Amino acid sequence: MARVRPERKGYDVIIYQQHVDRLKKMQPTVDSGPPREHPLSNKREMDKRREFLNIEFDNKLMLERLAKVIQNKSIDNEIHHSVDMHAKFKKKLGVTQKRVQMQKLTVENQRILKRIQEVPPAYNHLEWEEDAKRKDHIKRCMALYPEYYERLDKEKAAAKAKGTAPMTGGSSGSQGFRSSK
């Protein structure tokens, strides 16, 4: 800072203090508030709304007039007999075409079903059952707690004697051990 004369030192302090006060009271120069409302800014929405209401009113009037015309018998609004017969014929023709097409599909589906049923099975369920019994035997031999399987066998035998299904999961169930106390 430049060397200040001693008689001006107090004056500089006053000027600096005034400067600080002006900075504290200063208003922002950029307006960051909401934009001011223009008197004609809503005009477009109002015009759209007015046009929509006019269309709704016109539609209502047209529907009322149509209802009145349909309720009253007049020369113009009756379907001619030939036009009515042609419409019924076309409808019946469409129904018959659909029926014929459904019959063709049914016959084709029956042929496919017959071909599927005539094919010999590729899997032998007897082999599957034997394989399952063999694996169950191996599982029982490897079991850490064979008492679990003994208890299952007893439950199955008791259920078979009563004629009901066993409550536990059988040989395909979980291998957790529950004590039979």
Side-chain angles (χ1 to χ4, degrees):
M1 188 167 148
R3 189 170 264 231
V4 180
R5 296 192 316 218
E7 67 269 8
R8 299 281 296 197
K9 193 172 186 182
Y11 180 71
D12 289 338
V13 170
I14 292 171
I15 289 178
Y16 176 74
Q17 195 63 35
Q18 288 175 351
H19 172 70
V20 169
D21 289 342
R22 281 195 305 271
L23 286 177
K24 286 181 182 177
K25 294 178 183 176
M26 184 184 300
Q27 295 293 323
T29 56
V30 176
D31 186 12
S32 61
R36 65 183 178 88
E37 291 194 18
H38 299 282
L40 300 177
S41 66
N42 206 15
K43 186 165 177 53
R44 183 178 300 144
E45 286 86 17
M46 289 173 61
D47 287 343
K48 281 183 182 178
R49 177 90 174 136
R50 190 176 300 117
E51 186 178 344
F52 178 74
L53 290 174
N54 284 339
I55 291 171
E56 286 289 319
F57 182 72
D58 291 343
N59 287 344
K60 181 181 173 188
L61 284 178
M62 184 174 63
L63 285 174
E64 288 175 359
R65 290 176 186 151
L66 281 172
K68 190 184 291 183
V69 167
I70 289 173
Q71 287 174 355
N72 298 333
K73 291 276 185 181
S74 64
I75 297 171
D76 297 30
N77 67 351
E78 294 222 8
I79 298 174
H80 194 267
H81 180 67
S82 63
V83 174
D84 189 31
M85 284 186 60
H86 180 70
K88 287 180 183 176
F89 173 74
K90 288 290 243 180
K91 185 177 179 183
K92 190 175 181 181
L93 186 64
V95 169
T96 55
Q97 284 177 346
K98 284 182 184 176
R99 188 180 310 125
V100 168
Q101 189 176 10
M102 287 299 293
Q103 286 175 347
K104 285 180 182 178
L105 285 173
T106 305
V107 169
E108 186 178 346
N109 286 343
Q110 287 175 347
R111 276 194 223 130
I112 292 172
L113 178 64
K114 186 177 179 184
R115 286 174 47 200
I116 289 172
Q117 289 175 341
E118 289 176 353
V119 172
Y123 300 111
N124 188 350
H125 66 91
L126 297 174
E127 286 180 12
W128 283 1
E129 289 175 9
E130 289 175 17
D131 191 41
K133 286 180 185 176
R134 197 171 348 108
K135 288 183 179 179
D136 187 46
H137 177 70
I138 292 171
K139 183 171 64 172
R140 285 171 181 258
C141 290
M142 294 175 62
L144 187 60
Y145 300 106
E147 301 90 14
Y148 172 75
Y149 291 107
E150 291 170 6
R151 187 174 51 86
L152 281 181
D153 292 339
K154 286 179 186 176
E155 287 177 5
K156 280 184 185 179
K160 202 178 248 187
K162 287 183 180 179
T164 60
M167 295 298 290
T168 56
S171 63
S172 63
S174 66
Q175 295 185 15
F177 176 73
R178 291 189 215 169
S179 65
S180 57
K181 290 182 182 178

